[in-house]
Amino acid sequence: MDSVLAMSALAAGIAVLTCAGAGIGQGYATGKATEAIARQPEARGSIMSTLLIGAAVAETTAIYGFIIAILLLFANPLIK
Amino acid sequence: MDFTNHKMAPLFTINGRTVYMTQSIFGTWVVMGILIAFTIFVRIYMRRKHFQDVPKTGSLQNVLELAVESMHNMAASNAGKDLDWLGGYFFGVFAYILLCNYAPLLKLRPPTADIATTIPLALNTFLLIHVLGLVRRKGEYLKDFVKPVFLFLPIHIIGELARPLSLSFRLFGNILGGMIMMDLLYISLPIFLRIALPDAIHLYLDVFVGALQAFIFSVLSMTFIRERASLEEE
């Protein structure tokens, strides 16, 4: 039982590593948006809202990993 | 550490099973009460005496008209000009999610940190997408599922089912994560530091992320509806 709990904690730690991918994606999107605003400052409003939506979509994978970590820590299905 | 949704009081019993009022139900009621009280107040206040044809700058009527009009413009630009009447519905969704996300400022558990609040909201969007698509575009809507060949039907169906799932989990995960981080901070700080220091983090995790998630939920819903239901040519 204890080893299952310990392994679950490790698995939760590995599951939140998905945030690395989301971070890279959001950074890349923000860099491109900055380039776009520098090239066309008058389109700032629409670029910003598109960036926010894109960042939220990129964040989804990180949220999935986070939810799996939360499940493993607080609602573990492996422990009766 | 305990981040579960505590039971507060028993409400009623069905078939021997008691339904409890949980923290998130209490929070939902508080948010509903605030919204209903505000709408009734506006309805009575705006009736005769205070209504102006051209509202003064900074008056309540001016602010309300700005809010309604910006939501209407958001619907027109995201859901299509022919679907701009969705602005009313999404104004309600936006206000509800915003107040739910701001519930921690009143020391309540945010109702959106409960998967039972976010899945119905996402299912509403799911219904809107497909009912509006079927009613407005009929054959064209069904043809979208078998593009480019019939073999792609299962992929399209999985894609459609993933939308409400990702919408609900995005809102739920963001708010739950913020709530857990705030709770951990409050637990780890000594009592004399709990007065001013957490406010800066409240400002980011509750005020900024809350408003951003409410905005993203409504805008993404409108974009999905446009994809399936708008008659407007691109």
CSV table of all heavy atoms in Angstrom, one decimal, chain B residues 125-179:
chain,number,residue,atom,x,y,z
B,125,THR,N,-22.8,24.8,-24.6
B,125,THR,CA,-22.1,25.1,-25.9
B,125,THR,C,-22.3,24.0,-26.9
B,125,THR,O,-22.5,24.3,-28.1
B,125,THR,CB,-20.7,25.4,-25.6
B,125,THR,OG1,-20.6,26.4,-24.6
B,125,THR,CG2,-19.9,25.8,-26.8
B,126,PHE,N,-22.1,22.8,-26.5
B,126,PHE,CA,-22.2,21.6,-27.4
B,126,PHE,C,-23.6,21.6,-28.0
B,126,PHE,O,-23.7,21.4,-29.3
B,126,PHE,CB,-21.9,20.4,-26.5
B,126,PHE,CG,-21.9,19.1,-27.3
B,126,PHE,CD1,-20.8,18.8,-28.1
B,126,PHE,CD2,-23.0,18.2,-27.2
B,126,PHE,CE1,-20.8,17.6,-28.8
B,126,PHE,CE2,-23.0,17.0,-27.9
B,126,PHE,CZ,-21.9,16.7,-28.7
B,127,LEU,N,-24.6,21.8,-27.2
B,127,LEU,CA,-26.0,21.7,-27.7
B,127,LEU,C,-26.2,22.9,-28.7
B,127,LEU,O,-26.7,22.7,-29.8
B,127,LEU,CB,-27.0,21.9,-26.6
B,127,LEU,CG,-27.4,20.6,-25.9
B,127,LEU,CD1,-28.4,20.9,-24.9
B,127,LEU,CD2,-28.0,19.6,-26.9
B,128,LEU,N,-25.7,24.1,-28.4
B,128,LEU,CA,-25.8,25.3,-29.2
B,128,LEU,C,-25.2,25.0,-30.6
B,128,LEU,O,-25.7,25.3,-31.6
B,128,LEU,CB,-25.2,26.5,-28.6
B,128,LEU,CG,-26.1,27.4,-27.7
B,128,LEU,CD1,-25.3,28.5,-27.1
B,128,LEU,CD2,-27.2,27.9,-28.6
B,129,ILE,N,-23.9,24.4,-30.6
B,129,ILE,CA,-23.2,24.2,-31.8
B,129,ILE,C,-24.0,23.3,-32.7
B,129,ILE,O,-24.3,23.6,-33.9
B,129,ILE,CB,-21.9,23.5,-31.5
B,129,ILE,CG1,-20.9,24.4,-30.7
B,129,ILE,CG2,-21.2,23.0,-32.8
B,129,ILE,CD1,-19.7,23.6,-30.3
B,130,HIS,N,-24.5,22.2,-32.2
B,130,HIS,CA,-25.1,21.2,-33.0
B,130,HIS,C,-26.6,21.5,-33.4
B,130,HIS,O,-27.0,21.2,-34.5
B,130,HIS,CB,-24.9,19.8,-32.4
B,130,HIS,CG,-23.5,19.4,-32.4
B,130,HIS,ND1,-22.8,19.1,-33.5
B,130,HIS,CD2,-22.6,19.4,-31.4
B,130,HIS,CE1,-21.5,18.9,-33.2
B,130,HIS,NE2,-21.4,19.1,-31.9
B,131,VAL,N,-27.3,22.0,-32.4
B,131,VAL,CA,-28.7,22.4,-32.7
B,131,VAL,C,-28.8,23.5,-33.7
B,131,VAL,O,-29.5,23.4,-34.8
B,131,VAL,CB,-29.5,22.7,-31.5
B,131,VAL,CG1,-30.9,23.3,-31.8
B,131,VAL,CG2,-29.7,21.5,-30.6
B,132,LEU,N,-27.9,24.5,-33.5
B,132,LEU,CA,-27.9,25.7,-34.4
B,132,LEU,C,-27.4,25.2,-35.8
B,132,LEU,O,-27.9,25.6,-36.9
B,132,LEU,CB,-27.0,26.8,-33.9
B,132,LEU,CG,-27.7,27.7,-32.9
B,132,LEU,CD1,-26.7,28.7,-32.4
B,132,LEU,CD2,-28.9,28.4,-33.4
B,133,GLY,N,-26.4,24.3,-35.8
B,133,GLY,CA,-25.9,23.8,-37.1
B,133,GLY,C,-26.9,23.1,-37.9
B,133,GLY,O,-27.1,23.3,-39.1
B,134,LEU,N,-27.6,22.2,-37.2
B,134,LEU,CA,-28.6,21.4,-37.8
B,134,LEU,C,-29.8,22.2,-38.3
B,134,LEU,O,-30.3,22.0,-39.4
B,134,LEU,CB,-29.1,20.3,-36.9
B,134,LEU,CG,-29.7,19.0,-37.5
B,134,LEU,CD1,-28.7,18.4,-38.4
B,134,LEU,CD2,-30.0,18.0,-36.4
B,135,VAL,N,-30.2,23.2,-37.5
B,135,VAL,CA,-31.4,24.0,-37.9
B,135,VAL,C,-31.0,24.9,-39.0
B,135,VAL,O,-31.8,25.1,-40.0
B,135,VAL,CB,-31.9,24.7,-36.7
B,135,VAL,CG1,-32.9,25.8,-37.1
B,135,VAL,CG2,-32.5,23.8,-35.7
B,136,ARG,N,-29.8,25.5,-39.0
B,136,ARG,CA,-29.5,26.6,-39.9
B,136,ARG,C,-28.9,26.1,-41.2
B,136,ARG,O,-29.2,26.7,-42.3
B,136,ARG,CB,-28.6,27.6,-39.3
B,136,ARG,CG,-29.3,28.4,-38.2
B,136,ARG,CD,-28.2,29.1,-37.4
B,136,ARG,NE,-27.5,30.1,-38.2
B,136,ARG,CZ,-28.0,31.3,-38.4
B,136,ARG,NH1,-29.1,31.7,-37.8
B,136,ARG,NH2,-27.3,32.2,-39.1
B,137,ARG,N,-28.1,25.0,-41.1
B,137,ARG,CA,-27.4,24.6,-42.4
B,137,ARG,C,-27.8,23.3,-42.9
B,137,ARG,O,-27.4,22.9,-44.0
B,137,ARG,CB,-25.9,24.6,-42.1
B,137,ARG,CG,-25.3,26.0,-42.0
B,137,ARG,CD,-23.9,26.1,-41.6
B,137,ARG,NE,-23.1,25.5,-42.7
B,137,ARG,CZ,-22.0,24.7,-42.5
B,137,ARG,NH1,-21.6,24.5,-41.3
B,137,ARG,NH2,-21.3,24.2,-43.5
B,138,LYS,N,-28.6,22.5,-42.1
B,138,LYS,CA,-29.2,21.3,-42.6
B,138,LYS,C,-28.3,20.3,-43.3
B,138,LYS,O,-27.4,19.8,-42.6
B,138,LYS,CB,-30.5,21.5,-43.4
B,138,LYS,CG,-31.5,22.4,-42.7
B,138,LYS,CD,-32.8,22.5,-43.4
B,138,LYS,CE,-33.8,23.3,-42.6
B,138,LYS,NZ,-33.5,24.7,-42.6
B,139,GLY,N,-28.4,20.1,-44.6
B,139,GLY,CA,-27.6,19.2,-45.3
B,139,GLY,C,-26.1,19.5,-45.2
B,139,GLY,O,-25.3,18.6,-45.1
B,140,GLU,N,-25.8,20.8,-45.4
B,140,GLU,CA,-24.4,21.2,-45.3
B,140,GLU,C,-23.7,20.8,-44.1
B,140,GLU,O,-22.6,20.4,-44.0
B,140,GLU,CB,-24.3,22.7,-45.5
B,140,GLU,CG,-24.8,23.3,-46.8
B,140,GLU,CD,-23.7,23.3,-47.8
B,140,GLU,OE1,-22.7,23.9,-47.4
B,140,GLU,OE2,-23.9,22.8,-48.9
B,141,TYR,N,-24.5,20.9,-42.9
B,141,TYR,CA,-23.9,20.6,-41.6
B,141,TYR,C,-23.6,19.1,-41.6
B,141,TYR,O,-22.5,18.7,-41.1
B,141,TYR,CB,-25.0,20.9,-40.6
B,141,TYR,CG,-24.8,20.3,-39.2
B,141,TYR,CD1,-23.8,20.8,-38.4
B,141,TYR,CD2,-25.5,19.2,-38.8
B,141,TYR,CE1,-23.6,20.2,-37.2
B,141,TYR,CE2,-25.3,18.6,-37.6
B,141,TYR,CZ,-24.3,19.1,-36.8
B,141,TYR,OH,-24.1,18.5,-35.6
B,142,LEU,N,-24.5,18.2,-42.1
B,142,LEU,CA,-24.2,16.8,-42.1
B,142,LEU,C,-23.1,16.4,-43.0
B,142,LEU,O,-22.3,15.5,-42.7
B,142,LEU,CB,-25.5,16.0,-42.4
B,142,LEU,CG,-26.6,16.2,-41.4
B,142,LEU,CD1,-27.9,15.5,-42.0
B,142,LEU,CD2,-26.2,15.5,-40.1
B,143,LYS,N,-23.0,17.2,-44.1
B,143,LYS,CA,-21.9,16.9,-45.1
B,143,LYS,C,-20.5,17.2,-44.5
B,143,LYS,O,-19.6,16.5,-44.9
B,143,LYS,CB,-22.1,17.8,-46.3
B,143,LYS,CG,-22.0,17.0,-47.6
B,143,LYS,CD,-22.2,17.9,-48.8
B,143,LYS,CE,-23.7,18.0,-49.2
B,143,LYS,NZ,-23.9,18.9,-50.3
B,144,ASP,N,-20.5,18.1,-43.5
B,144,ASP,CA,-19.2,18.4,-42.9
B,144,ASP,C,-18.6,17.2,-42.2
B,144,ASP,O,-17.4,17.1,-42.1
B,144,ASP,CB,-19.4,19.5,-41.8
B,144,ASP,CG,-19.2,20.9,-42.4
B,144,ASP,OD1,-18.9,20.9,-43.6
B,144,ASP,OD2,-19.4,21.9,-41.7
B,145,PHE,N,-19.4,16.3,-41.7
B,145,PHE,CA,-18.9,15.1,-41.0
B,145,PHE,C,-18.3,14.1,-41.9
B,145,PHE,O,-17.5,13.2,-41.4
B,145,PHE,CB,-20.1,14.4,-40.2
B,145,PHE,CG,-20.4,15.1,-39.0
B,145,PHE,CD1,-21.4,16.1,-38.9
B,145,PHE,CD2,-19.7,14.9,-37.8
B,145,PHE,CE1,-21.7,16.8,-37.8
B,145,PHE,CE2,-20.0,15.5,-36.6
B,145,PHE,CZ,-21.0,16.5,-36.6
B,146,VAL,N,-18.6,14.1,-43.2
B,146,VAL,CA,-18.0,13.0,-44.0
B,146,VAL,C,-17.0,13.7,-45.0
B,146,VAL,O,-16.8,13.1,-46.1
B,146,VAL,CB,-19.1,12.2,-44.8
B,146,VAL,CG1,-19.8,11.4,-43.8
B,146,VAL,CG2,-20.1,13.2,-45.5
B,147,LYS,N,-16.4,14.8,-44.6
B,147,LYS,CA,-15.4,15.4,-45.5
B,147,LYS,C,-14.1,14.8,-45.1
B,147,LYS,O,-13.8,14.7,-44.0
B,147,LYS,CB,-15.4,17.0,-45.2
B,147,LYS,CG,-16.3,17.7,-46.2
B,147,LYS,CD,-16.1,19.2,-45.9
B,147,LYS,CE,-17.2,19.9,-46.7
B,147,LYS,NZ,-17.3,21.3,-46.3
B,148,PRO,N,-13.1,14.6,-46.0
B,148,PRO,CA,-13.3,14.6,-47.5
B,148,PRO,C,-13.9,13.2,-48.0
B,148,PRO,O,-14.5,13.2,-49.0
B,148,PRO,CB,-11.9,14.7,-48.0
B,148,PRO,CG,-11.0,14.2,-46.9
B,148,PRO,CD,-11.8,14.4,-45.6
B,149,VAL,N,-13.7,12.1,-47.2
B,149,VAL,CA,-14.4,10.9,-47.6
B,149,VAL,C,-15.1,10.3,-46.4
B,149,VAL,O,-14.9,10.8,-45.2
B,149,VAL,CB,-13.4,9.8,-48.1
B,149,VAL,CG1,-12.9,10.1,-49.5
B,149,VAL,CG2,-12.2,9.7,-47.1
B,150,PHE,N,-15.9,9.3,-46.6
B,150,PHE,CA,-16.8,8.7,-45.5
B,150,PHE,C,-16.0,8.2,-44.4
B,150,PHE,O,-16.5,8.2,-43.2
B,150,PHE,CB,-17.7,7.7,-46.2
B,150,PHE,CG,-18.7,7.1,-45.2
B,150,PHE,CD1,-19.8,7.9,-44.8
B,150,PHE,CD2,-18.6,5.9,-44.6
B,150,PHE,CE1,-20.7,7.5,-43.9
B,150,PHE,CE2,-19.5,5.4,-43.7
B,150,PHE,CZ,-20.6,6.2,-43.3
B,151,LEU,N,-14.8,7.7,-44.7
B,151,LEU,CA,-13.9,7.0,-43.7
B,151,LEU,C,-13.6,8.0,-42.5
B,151,LEU,O,-13.3,7.5,-41.4
B,151,LEU,CB,-12.6,6.5,-44.3
B,151,LEU,CG,-12.7,5.2,-45.1
B,151,LEU,CD1,-11.4,4.9,-45.7
B,151,LEU,CD2,-13.1,4.1,-44.1
B,152,PHE,N,-13.7,9.3,-42.7
B,152,PHE,CA,-13.3,10.2,-41.7
B,152,PHE,C,-14.4,10.5,-40.6
B,152,PHE,O,-14.2,11.2,-39.7
B,152,PHE,CB,-12.9,11.6,-42.3
B,152,PHE,CG,-11.5,11.5,-42.9
B,152,PHE,CD1,-11.2,10.8,-44.0
B,152,PHE,CD2,-10.5,12.2,-42.2
B,152,PHE,CE1,-10.0,10.8,-44.5
B,152,PHE,CE2,-9.2,12.2,-42.7
B,152,PHE,CZ,-8.9,11.5,-43.9
B,153,LEU,N,-15.6,9.8,-40.8
B,153,LEU,CA,-16.7,10.0,-39.9
B,153,LEU,C,-16.3,9.8,-38.4
B,153,LEU,O,-16.6,10.7,-37.6
B,153,LEU,CB,-17.9,9.2,-40.3
B,153,LEU,CG,-19.1,9.3,-39.4
B,153,LEU,CD1,-19.7,10.7,-39.6
B,153,LEU,CD2,-20.2,8.2,-39.8
B,154,PRO,N,-15.7,8.7,-38.0
B,154,PRO,CA,-15.3,8.5,-36.6
B,154,PRO,C,-14.4,9.6,-36.1
B,154,PRO,O,-14.5,10.0,-34.9
B,154,PRO,CB,-14.7,7.1,-36.5
B,154,PRO,CG,-14.9,6.5,-37.8
B,154,PRO,CD,-15.3,7.5,-38.8
B,155,ILE,N,-13.4,10.0,-36.9
B,155,ILE,CA,-12.5,11.0,-36.5
B,155,ILE,C,-13.2,12.3,-36.2
B,155,ILE,O,-13.0,13.0,-35.2
B,155,ILE,CB,-11.4,11.2,-37.5
B,155,ILE,CG1,-10.6,10.0,-37.6
B,155,ILE,CG2,-10.5,12.4,-37.2
B,155,ILE,CD1,-9.6,9.9,-38.8
B,156,HIS,N,-14.2,12.7,-37.1
B,156,HIS,CA,-15.0,13.9,-36.9
B,156,HIS,C,-15.8,13.8,-35.6
B,156,HIS,O,-15.9,14.8,-34.8
B,156,HIS,CB,-15.9,14.2,-38.0
B,156,HIS,CG,-15.2,14.8,-39.2
B,156,HIS,ND1,-14.7,16.1,-39.1
B,156,HIS,CD2,-14.9,14.4,-40.4
B,156,HIS,CE1,-14.2,16.4,-40.3
B,156,HIS,NE2,-14.3,15.4,-41.1
B,157,ILE,N,-16.4,12.6,-35.3
B,157,ILE,CA,-17.2,12.5,-34.1
B,157,ILE,C,-16.4,12.6,-32.9
B,157,ILE,O,-16.7,13.3,-31.9
B,157,ILE,CB,-18.0,11.1,-34.2
B,157,ILE,CG1,-19.0,11.2,-35.2
B,157,ILE,CG2,-18.6,10.8,-32.8
B,157,ILE,CD1,-19.7,9.9,-35.5
B,158,ILE,N,-15.2,12.0,-32.9
B,158,ILE,CA,-14.3,12.1,-31.7
B,158,ILE,C,-13.9,13.6,-31.5
B,158,ILE,O,-13.9,14.1,-30.4
B,158,ILE,CB,-13.1,11.2,-31.8
B,158,ILE,CG1,-13.5,9.8,-31.8
B,158,ILE,CG2,-12.0,11.5,-30.8
B,158,ILE,CD1,-12.4,8.8,-32.1
B,159,GLY,N,-13.6,14.3,-32.6
B,159,GLY,CA,-13.2,15.7,-32.5
B,159,GLY,C,-14.3,16.5,-31.9
B,159,GLY,O,-14.1,17.4,-31.1
B,160,GLU,N,-15.6,16.2,-32.3
B,160,GLU,CA,-16.7,17.0,-31.8
B,160,GLU,C,-16.9,16.7,-30.3
B,160,GLU,O,-17.2,17.6,-29.5
B,160,GLU,CB,-18.0,16.6,-32.5
B,160,GLU,CG,-18.1,17.1,-33.9
B,160,GLU,CD,-17.9,18.6,-34.0
B,160,GLU,OE1,-18.4,19.3,-33.2
B,160,GLU,OE2,-17.2,19.1,-34.9
B,161,LEU,N,-16.7,15.4,-29.9
B,161,LEU,CA,-16.9,15.1,-28.5
B,161,LEU,C,-15.7,15.7,-27.6
B,161,LEU,O,-15.9,15.9,-26.4
B,161,LEU,CB,-16.9,13.6,-28.3
B,161,LEU,CG,-18.2,12.9,-28.8
B,161,LEU,CD1,-18.1,11.4,-28.6
B,161,LEU,CD2,-19.4,13.5,-28.1
B,162,ALA,N,-14.6,15.9,-28.2
B,162,ALA,CA,-13.4,16.4,-27.4
B,162,ALA,C,-13.6,17.9,-27.1
B,162,ALA,O,-13.0,18.4,-26.1
B,162,ALA,CB,-12.1,16.2,-28.2
B,163,ARG,N,-14.4,18.6,-27.9
B,163,ARG,CA,-14.6,20.0,-27.7
B,163,ARG,C,-15.2,20.4,-26.3
B,163,ARG,O,-14.6,21.2,-25.6
B,163,ARG,CB,-15.4,20.6,-28.8
B,163,ARG,CG,-14.6,21.1,-29.9
B,163,ARG,CD,-15.4,21.6,-31.0
B,163,ARG,NE,-14.6,21.8,-32.1
B,163,ARG,CZ,-15.1,22.2,-33.3
B,163,ARG,NH1,-16.4,22.4,-33.4
B,163,ARG,NH2,-14.3,22.4,-34.3
B,164,PRO,N,-16.4,19.9,-26.0
B,164,PRO,CA,-16.9,20.2,-24.6
B,164,PRO,C,-16.0,19.7,-23.5
B,164,PRO,O,-15.9,20.4,-22.5
B,164,PRO,CB,-18.3,19.5,-24.6
B,164,PRO,CG,-18.2,18.5,-25.6
B,164,PRO,CD,-17.3,19.0,-26.7
B,165,LEU,N,-15.3,18.6,-23.7
B,165,LEU,CA,-14.4,18.0,-22.7
B,165,LEU,C,-13.3,19.0,-22.5
B,165,LEU,O,-12.9,19.4,-21.3
B,165,LEU,CB,-13.8,16.7,-23.2
B,165,LEU,CG,-13.5,15.7,-22.1
B,165,LEU,CD1,-14.7,15.3,-21.4
B,165,LEU,CD2,-12.8,14.5,-22.8
B,166,SER,N,-12.6,19.5,-23.6
B,166,SER,CA,-11.5,20.4,-23.4
B,166,SER,C,-12.0,21.7,-22.8
B,166,SER,O,-11.3,22.4,-22.0
B,166,SER,CB,-10.7,20.6,-24.6
B,166,SER,OG,-11.4,21.4,-25.5
B,167,LEU,N,-13.1,22.2,-23.2
B,167,LEU,CA,-13.7,23.5,-22.7
B,167,LEU,C,-13.9,23.4,-21.2
B,167,LEU,O,-13.5,24.3,-20.5
B,167,LEU,CB,-15.0,23.8,-23.4
B,167,LEU,CG,-15.1,24.7,-24.5
B,167,LEU,CD1,-16.5,24.9,-24.9
B,167,LEU,CD2,-14.5,26.1,-24.2
B,168,SER,N,-14.5,22.3,-20.8
B,168,SER,CA,-14.8,22.2,-19.3
B,168,SER,C,-13.6,22.0,-18.5
B,168,SER,O,-13.4,22.6,-17.5
B,168,SER,CB,-15.8,21.1,-19.1
B,168,SER,OG,-15.4,19.9,-19.6
B,169,PHE,N,-12.6,21.1,-19.0
B,169,PHE,CA,-11.4,20.8,-18.2
B,169,PHE,C,-10.5,22.0,-18.2
B,169,PHE,O,-9.8,22.2,-17.2
B,169,PHE,CB,-10.7,19.6,-18.8
B,169,PHE,CG,-11.2,18.3,-18.3
B,169,PHE,CD1,-11.7,17.3,-19.2
B,169,PHE,CD2,-11.3,18.1,-17.0
B,169,PHE,CE1,-12.2,16.2,-18.7
B,169,PHE,CE2,-11.8,16.9,-16.5
B,169,PHE,CZ,-12.2,15.9,-17.4
B,170,ARG,N,-10.5,22.9,-19.2
B,170,ARG,CA,-9.6,24.0,-19.2
B,170,ARG,C,-10.1,25.0,-18.0
B,170,ARG,O,-9.2,25.4,-17.2
B,170,ARG,CB,-9.7,24.8,-20.5
B,170,ARG,CG,-8.8,26.0,-20.6
B,170,ARG,CD,-8.9,26.6,-21.9
B,170,ARG,NE,-8.5,25.7,-23.0
B,170,ARG,CZ,-9.3,25.3,-24.0
B,170,ARG,NH1,-10.5,25.9,-24.1
B,170,ARG,NH2,-8.9,24.5,-24.9
B,171,LEU,N,-11.4,25.3,-18.0
B,171,LEU,CA,-11.9,26.2,-16.9
B,171,LEU,C,-11.6,25.5,-15.6
B,171,LEU,O,-11.1,26.2,-14.6
B,171,LEU,CB,-13.4,26.4,-17.2
B,171,LEU,CG,-14.1,27.4,-16.3
B,171,LEU,CD1,-13.4,28.7,-16.3
B,171,LEU,CD2,-15.5,27.5,-16.7
B,172,PHE,N,-12.0,24.3,-15.4
B,172,PHE,CA,-11.9,23.6,-14.1
B,172,PHE,C,-10.5,23.5,-13.7
B,172,PHE,O,-10.2,23.8,-12.5
B,172,PHE,CB,-12.5,22.1,-14.3
B,172,PHE,CG,-12.2,21.2,-13.2
B,172,PHE,CD1,-12.7,21.3,-12.0
B,172,PHE,CD2,-11.3,20.1,-13.5
B,172,PHE,CE1,-12.4,20.4,-11.0
B,172,PHE,CE2,-11.0,19.2,-12.5
B,172,PHE,CZ,-11.6,19.4,-11.3
B,173,GLY,N,-9.6,23.1,-14.6
B,173,GLY,CA,-8.2,22.9,-14.2
B,173,GLY,C,-7.5,24.2,-13.8
B,173,GLY,O,-6.8,24.3,-12.8
B,174,ASN,N,-7.8,25.3,-14.5
B,174,ASN,CA,-7.2,26.6,-14.2
B,174,ASN,C,-7.7,27.1,-12.8
B,174,ASN,O,-6.8,27.5,-12.0
B,174,ASN,CB,-7.6,27.6,-15.3
B,174,ASN,CG,-6.6,27.7,-16.4
B,174,ASN,OD1,-5.5,28.1,-16.1
B,174,ASN,ND2,-7.0,27.3,-17.5
B,175,ILE,N,-9.0,27.0,-12.6
B,175,ILE,CA,-9.5,27.6,-11.3
B,175,ILE,C,-9.1,26.7,-10.1
B,175,ILE,O,-8.7,27.2,-9.1
B,175,ILE,CB,-11.0,27.8,-11.4
B,175,ILE,CG1,-11.4,28.6,-12.6
B,175,ILE,CG2,-11.5,28.4,-10.1
B,175,ILE,CD1,-10.7,29.9,-12.6
B,176,LEU,N,-9.1,25.3,-10.3
B,176,LEU,CA,-8.7,24.4,-9.3
B,176,LEU,C,-7.3,24.6,-8.9
B,176,LEU,O,-6.9,24.6,-7.8
B,176,LEU,CB,-9.0,23.0,-9.6
B,176,LEU,CG,-8.7,22.0,-8.6
B,176,LEU,CD1,-9.8,22.0,-7.5
B,176,LEU,CD2,-8.6,20.6,-9.1
B,177,GLY,N,-6.4,24.8,-10.0
B,177,GLY,CA,-5.0,25.0,-9.7
B,177,GLY,C,-4.8,26.3,-9.0
B,177,GLY,O,-4.0,26.3,-8.0
B,178,GLY,N,-5.4,27.3,-9.3
B,178,GLY,CA,-5.3,28.6,-8.6
B,178,GLY,C,-5.7,28.4,-7.1
B,178,GLY,O,-5.0,28.9,-6.2
B,179,MET,N,-6.9,27.7,-6.9
B,179,MET,CA,-7.4,27.6,-5.6
B,179,MET,C,-6.4,26.8,-4.7
B,179,MET,O,-6.1,27.1,-3.6
B,179,MET,CB,-8.7,26.8,-5.6
B,179,MET,CG,-9.5,26.9,-4.4
B,179,MET,SD,-10.7,25.6,-4.3
B,179,MET,CE,-9.7,24.1,-4.0
